[in-house]
Amino acid sequence: MKHPDLNLLIALDALLQEHSVSRAAARVGLSTPAMSHALARLRDQLGDPLLVRAGQRMVPTPRAADLQARVHALATEALGVLAPAPVTEIAKLDRMFRILSTDQLMTVIGPALDRKLRAAPNVSLHVMPPQRDDSVQLRDGTIDLSIGVYDYAPYSDLPTDLRIQQLFDDHYVCVVREDHPTVGSSLTLAQYAELDHVQVAVRGPPGGYVDDLLAKHGLKRRIARALPYFLAALQLISETDYVMTLSVTLVKRLAGKLPIKSVQPPRSLGLESYQVSQLWHPRNDRDPAHRWLRDSIAEAARQTIRR
DNA sequence: GGCGCCTTGCTTAAGATTAA
DNA sequence: TTAATCTTAAGCAAGGCGCC
């Protein structure tokens, strides 16, 4: 099926608005002959002269006069569809963003992010726990953005169709209750392995990175309690003799708010630092509102870590 | 006759189609 | 996939038409 040339719709609109080939040409950025050719094609296609000479002027035929309002509405709509997305006024933005993040990261950057988001009073934020594989929901559009640690499996081979931006570097520290009966300011590897552990297992069953490192030393720890939330885990730590290994930025953020103390993990364990990043689907790359959200998160992270 | 506007013929470039 | 060919639309130059 041969489709009509929709450029002719724009040309016809200009001709019916201007009642002049030369002015219509100037209006759409064509030469006069080019517009004249377009008028000839329109005449041929519609079987009507559309504009006819009346002295030095061109006047519309009844058919053209009848089409004028419809053509103008269609041309305006078409140009609107093809125009670049309007610049978003953040203060007037009315939208809900859905992001995946742990309570740990929201505790660290949440207050600073909230201050940023207040620039858009009608923006709301729905934070949900991370999934086994965040990329699924990023791809299908059910979430807008994911914040987390993506430099380990299953994300070490991050799909190339997703965008990632590093937010800040973090490393591990151990915490026990302030008046723990056996733990001082540091831990030996043997002591670390002997203690009962609390682990926050957000994405799946307990175990993982720390256990893999212990296994290299022929050691194994007992995970006495596995919880989905960091704050609940820390509350538990403050009232028991368990030990927990977690983000130093979270521990700093909560300093003085819980009766816990941070303890150097055993150096020989080989815990490495890691990067916290935000992840999104490229369909949102050029969405001004989404870009504003990403910039707000990045700036909130910078402000929080600078402290 | 001069001027302004539109049309027409020709050339060129870009995109589409077809064949190898 | 590439090259050749065809089609289409734009611009340039020139001519036609109507008015003053």
Side-chain angles (χ1 to χ4, degrees):
Chain A
M1 173 187 170
K2 184 159 172 69
H3 297 283
D5 179 359
L6 294 182
N7 276 322
L8 289 178
L9 188 68
I10 307 303
L12 179 57
D13 180 45
L15 286 163
L16 296 181
Q17 293 295 313
E18 298 290 348
H19 293 177
S20 156
V21 174
S22 53
R23 286 199 302 275
R27 186 184 181 114
V28 301
L30 290 179
S31 65
T32 302
M35 183 57 77
S36 181
H37 286 306
L39 177 56
R41 293 195 297 278
L42 283 162
R43 284 167 170 161
D44 183 53
Q45 192 156 328
L46 297 178
D48 187 273
L50 297 170
L51 289 177
V52 293
R53 281 185 183 275
Q56 276 194 318
R57 298 173 54 238
M58 301 287 277
V59 295
T61 62
R63 174 87 195 277
D66 188 45
L67 287 173
Q68 182 167 351
R70 278 175 65 203
V71 167
H72 186 58
L74 284 168
T76 303
E77 177 69 12
L79 291 173
V81 167
L82 295 176
V87 175
T88 303
E89 282 189 60
I90 295 305
K92 293 181 183 170
L93 191 62
D94 186 354
R95 182 161 160 181
M96 182 177 78
F97 290 110
R98 295 148 301 180
I99 70 174
L100 299 181
S101 175
T102 60
D103 64 326
Q104 168 207 334
L105 289 167
M106 280 298 108
T107 303
V108 170
I109 67 170
L113 177 59
D114 187 74
R115 285 193 291 276
K116 296 277 170 201
L117 298 192
R118 279 183 222 159
N122 294 320
V123 160
S124 49
L125 196 61
H126 185 186
V127 181
M128 292 168 278
Q131 305 298 307
R132 183 81 182 153
D133 184 353
D134 295 347
S135 62
V136 174
Q137 292 188 67
L138 287 168
R139 284 203 191 95
D140 67 21
T142 51
I143 62 160
D144 297 295
L145 195 137
S146 177
I147 307 173
V149 180
Y150 299 107
D151 51 0
Y152 71 93
Y155 290 99
S156 48
D157 292 323
L158 198 66
T160 53
D161 64 327
L162 296 180
R163 300 279 191 268
I164 188 165
Q165 181 189 16
Q166 185 191 342
L167 295 174
F168 61 87
D169 290 322
D170 206 348
H171 61 272
Y172 291 102
V173 70
C174 294
V175 290
V176 294
R177 71 178 164 99
E178 210 166 43
D179 52 352
H180 196 283
T182 60
V183 177
S185 60
S186 63
L187 286 164
T188 66
L189 189 57
Q191 195 180 10
Y192 181 80
E194 280 170 14
L195 285 165
D196 282 342
H197 289 248
V198 172
Q199 188 192 6
V200 175
V202 178
R203 295 186 194 274
Y209 176 56
V210 169
D211 301 270
D212 293 344
L213 292 177
L214 282 170
K216 288 180 185 172
H217 294 84
L219 296 170
K220 192 177 175 187
R221 65 172 176 170
R222 189 176 95 88
I223 298 170
R225 303 289 182 263
L227 301 171
Y229 304 116
F230 284 88
L231 293 183
L234 285 168
Q235 188 67 43
L236 184 61
I237 287 289
S238 73
E239 297 181 22
T240 63
D241 290 345
Y242 301 139
V243 64
M244 182 176 168
T245 309
L246 75 167
S247 148
V248 72
T249 56
L250 176 62
V251 174
K252 283 182 181 172
R253 181 84 191 154
L254 295 173
K257 293 177 180 167
L258 282 172
I260 56 175
K261 65 180 179 184
S262 58
V263 179
Q264 277 298 320
R267 193 178 298 272
S268 56
L269 182 59
L271 286 168
E272 292 184 355
S273 60
Y274 56 91
Q275 293 176 351
V276 175
S277 307
Q278 56 181 340
L279 199 64
W280 68 94
H281 192 275
R283 80 164 70 83
N284 293 310
D285 265 357
R286 302 183 65 151
D287 174 8
H290 197 278
R291 190 159 47 200
W292 169 74
L293 175 68
R294 300 197 302 267
D295 290 346
S296 298
I297 290 170
E299 181 59 23
R302 270 194 296 274
Q303 287 180 0
T304 305
I305 300 305
R306 260 205 305 267
R307 286 184 186 167

